[in-house]
C-alpha cells in the first residue's frame, strides 16, 4: 500500500460532512473519482461547474462568504491565475509534498497537479517523410503551408509558447511564433480533436494536440478519427534531445475561505492516491502526476518519452508575454 493510501485510509474512516467543489473539468469520467471518494469517506460532494475564469471570478465576488472548498481546473496558467486572484490558500500536507513532484506543485503549496497531457506533434505519414522532431522545427520553412494549430486565445497555445519562452528566451520565442504563423495551412481554428481531424481531411499535414485526444480515439470511437484513418497518423514526442515534451497540467487547490478545509485537504490527498491516479489514466487517457503509477493501455500505446522538466509555475508567469507575442506576430 502506498504512502498516500496509508494516509488516506485512517482519516477517511472518521471523515464526515460535505465538500463544495468548483470544477472546470468537464469530463463525465470524473464521476467515478467523486463517487469513490464519497464511498470511502462518507463525505458528500456538492459540485458547481463552469469555465475556469468564471469560477475564479465567482470566488472573488463571493469573498469570505464563498462556499467553495476546492477549485479544480485544467492548465497551470489557470491555477496560477487563481493564486494571483487570492482565491486559494497554502496548505500543509506531507502526503501531497511526498507524492506530487516539485515541478508539478506551487512553491507556496496553493495548488498541486494531479494529471498531465503531453502536447505533441502529429503528422500525415503519407505526406510528411521527415516530420519535425522539436517544437523549434515547426517554424522551419520546409513545412510552409503544412501546419495546423489552435488559436492564440486557447490556454494550451498560450502555455506552450510560455514554455518556449522559459526554455529559449523571449526573442527566440517570438521568432519561433512568427515562423509557425508563416507555416500555417489554415487560420487557427477548432479544438485539439479538430487538429487531428485536419490530418484525416487533408487540410493539414502537421498538427499539434494533447495526447489524451488521440489516446481517447484508440480506446473508443471518436467522430472523424476512425481506426483506418488513424493508421495514417504518426506522432513525435518533441525535443527528446533537448528540453523534452511540453506537459499540460490538471490540478487543484484549497479555496481561500474553505468552510470544510479538512475535507478539502483530504480530497486533494485522495487525488494523489494510486487509486485516483490510475483512474485519471484509465478514465480520461491522461498521464498520472505521481511517478510509478501504471498507464492505461490507450496511453501506453503512444510509447515512452521524456517530458519537459521545466517548472510549470515559472511557465505560467510567462503567459501574458506569450499573448503579447501572439498579437505581435498575427497569430489569430
Amino acid at each position: 500500500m502506498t504512502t498516500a493510501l496509508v494516509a488516506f485510509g485512517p482519516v477517511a474512516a472518521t471523515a464526515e460532512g460535505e465538500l463544495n467543489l468548483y470544477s472546470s473539468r468537464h469530463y463525465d469520467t470524473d464521476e467515478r473519482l467523486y463517487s469513490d471518494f464519497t464511498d470511502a469517506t462518507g463525505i458528500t460532494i456538492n459540485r458547481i461547474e463552469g469555465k475556469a475564469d468564471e469560477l475564479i471570478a465567482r470566488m472573488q465576488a463571493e469573498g469570505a462568504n464563498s462556499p467553495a472548498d476546492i477549485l479544480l481546473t485544467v492548465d497551470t496558467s489557470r491555477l496560477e491565475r487563481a493564486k494571483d486572484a487570492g482565491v486559494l490558500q497554502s496548505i500543509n500536507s506531507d502526503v501531497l509534498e511526498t507524492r506530487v513532484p516539485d515541478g508539478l506543485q506551487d512553491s507556496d503549496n496553493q495548488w498541486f497537479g494531479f494529471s498531465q497531457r503531453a502536447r505533441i506533434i502529429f503528422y500525415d505519414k503519407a505526406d510528411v517523410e521527415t516530420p519535425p522532431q522539436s517544437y523549434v522545427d515547426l517554424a522551419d520553412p520546409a513545412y510552409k503551408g503544412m501546419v495546423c494549430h489552435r488559436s492564440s486565445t486557447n490556454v494550451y497555445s498560450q502555455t506552450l509558447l510560455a514554455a518556449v519562452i522559459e526554455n529559449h528566451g523571449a526573442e527566440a520565442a517570438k521568432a519561433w511564433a512568427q515562423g509557425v504563423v508563416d507555416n500555417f495551412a489554415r487560420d487557427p481554428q477548432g479544438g485539439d480533436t479538430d487538429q487531428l481531424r485536419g490530418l484525416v481531411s487533408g487540410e493539414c499535414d502537421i498538427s499539434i494536440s494533447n495526447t489524451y485526444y488521440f489516446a481517447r480515439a484508440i480506446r473508443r470511437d471518436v467522430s472523424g478519427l476512425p481506426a483506418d484513418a488513424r493508421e495514417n497518423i504518426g506522432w513525435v514526442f518533441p525535443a527528446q534531445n533537448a528540453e523534452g515534451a511540453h506537459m499540460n497540467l490538471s490540478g487543484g487547490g484549497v479555496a481561500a475561505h474553505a468552510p470544510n478545509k479538512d475535507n478539502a485537504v483530504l480530497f486533494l490527498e485522495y487525488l494523489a492516491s494510486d487509486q485516483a491516479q490510475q483512474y485519471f489514466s484509465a478514465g480520461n487517457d491522461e498521464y498520472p502526476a505521481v511517478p510509478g503509477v501504471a498507464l492505461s493501455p490507450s496511453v501506453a500505446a503512444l510509447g515512452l518519452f521524456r517530458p519537459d522538466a521545466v517548472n510549470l509555475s515559472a511557465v505560467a508567469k510567462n503567459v501574458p508575454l506569450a499573448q503579447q507575442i501572439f498579437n505581435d506576430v498575427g497569430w489569430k
Side-chain angles (χ1 to χ4, degrees), residues 121-123 128-134 137 143 206 235-236:
I121 297 169
F122 292 88
Y123 64 96
V128 183
E129 184 175 343
T130 308
Q133 296 298 303
S134 70
D137 289 347
Y143 302 117
I206 300 166
W235 58 88
V236 172

Side-chain angles (χ1 to χ4, degrees), residues 7-302:
F8 179 65
V11 179
T14 59
E16 59 183 13
E18 62 182 7
L19 175 75
N20 299 315
L21 173 64
Y22 283 28
S23 176
S24 69
R25 281 180 61 98
H26 54 270
Y27 314 113
D28 292 340
T29 50
D30 283 359
E31 296 291 339
R32 173 72 179 275
L33 288 170
Y34 307 142
S35 63
D36 282 358
F37 176 75
T38 297
D39 289 345
T41 64
I43 296 171
T44 300
I45 297 180
N46 306 312
R47 290 206 313 276
I48 292 178
E49 298 182 338
K51 295 181 178 179
D53 289 340
E54 293 172 353
L55 293 175
I56 293 169
R58 175 172 179 160
M59 293 170 72
Q60 284 182 294
E62 291 170 340
N65 295 320
S66 177
D69 292 310
I70 290 283
L71 175 68
L72 200 61
T73 190
V74 175
D75 199 81
T76 319
S77 63
R78 289 168 175 152
L79 292 165
E80 195 69 17
R81 200 174 304 158
K83 177 183 177 180
D84 292 343
V87 300
L88 301 178
Q89 64 172 290
S90 300
I91 61 170
N92 294 316
S93 168
D94 291 341
V95 171
L96 294 174
E97 285 291 336
T98 301
R99 298 279 288 175
V100 180
D102 289 345
L104 304 184
Q105 58 175 277
D106 173 52
S107 57
D108 297 321
N109 291 350
Q110 291 202 20
W111 56 259
F112 297 83
F114 297 107
S115 63
Q116 303 180 86
R117 309 85 178 265
R119 192 148 192 82
I120 70 173
I121 297 169
F122 292 88
Y123 64 96
D124 185 332
K125 291 190 289 188
D127 293 339
V128 183
E129 184 175 343
T130 308
Q133 296 298 303
S134 70
Y135 302 107
V136 173
D137 289 347
L138 291 168
D140 190 321
Y143 302 117
K144 188 174 182 63
M146 301 174 73
V147 178
C148 288
H149 204 288
R150 294 182 70 155
S151 74
S152 64
T153 59
N154 174 255
V155 68
Y156 295 149
S157 301
Q158 294 168 351
T159 308
L160 176 58
L161 180 52
V164 174
I165 293 170
E166 191 68 20
N167 286 320
H168 300 282
E171 185 175 345
K174 185 173 183 178
W176 174 81
Q178 183 64 68
V180 175
V181 169
D182 293 342
N183 287 344
F184 278 159
R186 64 183 184 191
D187 286 342
Q189 58 186 264
D192 273 22
T193 304
D194 295 310
Q195 311 314 310
L196 298 171
R197 291 180 180 127
L199 297 174
V200 176
S201 69
E203 293 178 86
C204 319
D205 295 310
I206 300 166
S207 66
I208 312 299
S209 175
N210 280 347
T211 45
Y212 82 128
Y213 292 97
F214 192 79
R216 181 183 300 163
I218 294 174
R219 180 169 57 87
R220 62 175 176 82
D221 290 339
V222 173
S223 176
L225 295 176
D228 58 342
R230 291 198 313 275
E231 291 178 0
N232 295 322
I233 297 177
W235 58 88
V236 172
F237 285 97
Q240 294 300 281
N241 294 320
E243 67 267 23
H246 173 66
M247 306 299 288
N248 285 120
L249 192 67
S250 180
V254 176
H257 305 287
N260 303 291
K261 181 179 177 180
D262 289 346
N263 289 350
V265 173
L266 184 63
F267 179 71
L268 294 186
E269 291 177 346
Y270 159 74
L271 293 182
S273 70
D274 277 1
Q275 175 183 329
Q277 287 289 296
Q278 288 169 351
Y279 194 70
F280 277 119
S281 187
N284 203 44
D285 307 290
E286 298 175 90
Y287 291 96
V290 174
V293 176
L295 301 177
S296 69
S298 61
V299 178
L302 297 177

